[in-house]
Amino acid sequence: MSKAFITGITGQDGSYLAEFLLSKGYEVGGLVRRVSISNLSRIKHIENKLKLYYGDLSDYSSILKAIKDFNPDEVYNLGAQSFVQTSWKVPEYTSNVTGLGVERVLSACLYINPKIRFYQASTSEMFGKVREVPQNEVTPFYPRSPYGVAKVYGHWITINYRESYNMFAVSGICFNHESPRRGIEFVTRKITDGVARIVNNIDEYLYLGNLDSKRDWGYAGDYVKAMWMMLQQPTPEDFVIGTGETHSIREFCDIAFKQVSLDYKDYVRQDERFIRPAEVDLLLADPKKINILLDWKPKTSFEELVKMMVGSDMNKYGDY
């Protein structure tokens, strides 16, 4: 039986990946941060099938002990301080966890078993102030946030370990991927939860930042399969993971509110508090490489994704 270890297993991607790997017959372990309030809600339904270890990406000893005890064949590093807006408020912490945390996991893998296959969760935020449209595996990086900068370090240290130590270490440059399990602080869940709160007369308006920012949005449940496929290849290669379509936050709002027969223009208000110090205006994936070499394409459309998330949040507040 193959064994896979996931940092960030309690997050959106980690929970979907854990489900996917269990369905493939894997034994699955994961790193869980110790917090005062339980953060296991996304994996509660599969918790008894997992082997969980308390640790932190800022603490090398906890990473080393967990990976040594579990002895995995594959390690997926999905853990990070992943909220862009927050990275401006805690840049040093973001750099430590999101950036240096990658090196700590790689170092632990190298020390315990250099044959471990390693996946790093890179991000389209590394492209930032984009140098070309669309963005592919060789597009230059120009990050526009502490989060993006930290991810660039994580991306390049993964390449460095691959080339220096002949490790099977790869990075998936994931464009935005969402789901009903997305954290409420992210704009997509903020929108769909806001729709449900307005319909249920909890809130009157939804306050957002730049409505014209454009992103390549996909469904997280589709993307975790791409992560797994990357580690099954004969040679380690980095891939852009995205849909090849771009949509604005305004479009997202339009579909979300129409799902409950409302016009977003009547309820959405722009608020300067939610404008980033340095904005990323347009992210669009060029997924040709992964489409051709891995035969991977997302199954869930943008509209299906938005409706799925609205339906989930509506159900949270009552029958829908």
Side-chain angles (χ1 to χ4, degrees), residues 7-179:
T7 71
I9 196 170
T10 61
Q12 171 190 255
D13 293 6
S15 63
Y16 280 114
L17 179 60
E19 285 177 345
F20 177 81
L21 292 172
L22 287 171
S23 75
K24 290 286 184 183
Y26 277 70
E27 185 178 343
V28 180
L31 196 70
V32 177
R33 234 173 0 107
R34 177 71 179 90
V35 290
S36 57
I37 299 174
S38 175
N39 59 349
L40 303 179
S41 60
R42 294 185 182 95
I43 57 171
K44 202 69 182 173
H45 61 298
I46 54 172
E47 184 182 357
N48 63 346
K49 299 178 182 178
L50 306 171
K51 189 167 185 180
L52 302 177
Y53 297 84
Y54 283 110
D56 197 288
L57 288 178
S58 65
D59 177 36
Y60 178 69
S61 64
S62 65
I63 299 167
L64 187 69
K65 289 173 185 175
I67 294 178
K68 185 176 181 181
D69 182 79
F70 190 69
N71 191 29
D73 303 294
E74 301 170 2
V75 168
Y76 297 83
N77 185 47
L78 310 185
Q81 191 302 100
S82 59
F83 188 42
V84 176
Q85 192 75 22
T86 296
S87 77
W88 289 102
K89 299 174 182 177
V90 287
E92 184 178 343
Y93 173 75
T94 300
S95 300
N96 188 17
V97 173
T98 306
L100 290 174
V102 184
E103 197 280 330
R104 294 185 185 106
V105 181
L106 280 163
S107 179
C109 291
L110 179 65
Y111 178 78
I112 293 162
N113 177 9
K115 295 188 181 301
I116 290 173
R117 296 196 166 204
F118 175 86
Y119 173 88
Q120 164 61 12
S122 287
T123 171
S124 58
E125 288 288 330
M126 299 188 304
F127 296 123
K129 189 175 181 180
V130 297
R131 317 314 290 165
E132 61 185 14
V133 179
Q135 297 90 48
N136 59 34
E137 291 79 7
V138 296
T139 299
F141 299 138
Y142 196 141
R144 298 271 281 172
S145 67
Y147 169 72
V149 172
K151 280 290 189 178
V152 169
Y153 174 85
H155 182 85
W156 278 109
I157 199 66
T158 300
I159 293 172
N160 191 260
Y161 267 70
R162 178 170 75 219
E163 295 179 348
S164 301
Y165 303 113
N166 198 31
M167 291 178 67
F168 195 108
V170 300
S171 291
I173 306 174
C174 285
F175 281 65
N176 293 62
H177 46 291
E178 318 297 320
S179 76

Side-chain angles (χ1 to χ4, degrees), residues 228-277:
W228 171 77
M229 291 175 75
M230 286 176 61
L231 291 195
Q232 312 316 306
Q233 302 310 301
T235 56
E237 293 188 58
D238 301 330
F239 288 89
V240 158
I241 305 174
T243 69
E245 298 179 6
T246 190
H247 300 275
S248 68
I249 292 174
R250 194 180 301 277
E251 288 178 77
F252 198 109
C253 289
D254 186 43
I255 295 172
F257 277 89
K258 279 181 178 175
Q259 181 72 356
V260 292
S261 302
L262 296 177
D263 186 338
Y264 82 94
K265 298 186 192 72
D266 296 330
Y267 300 95
V268 174
R269 299 288 184 270
Q270 284 193 279
D271 190 324
E272 291 295 322
R273 291 177 300 164
F274 304 120
I275 302 292
R276 295 181 184 179

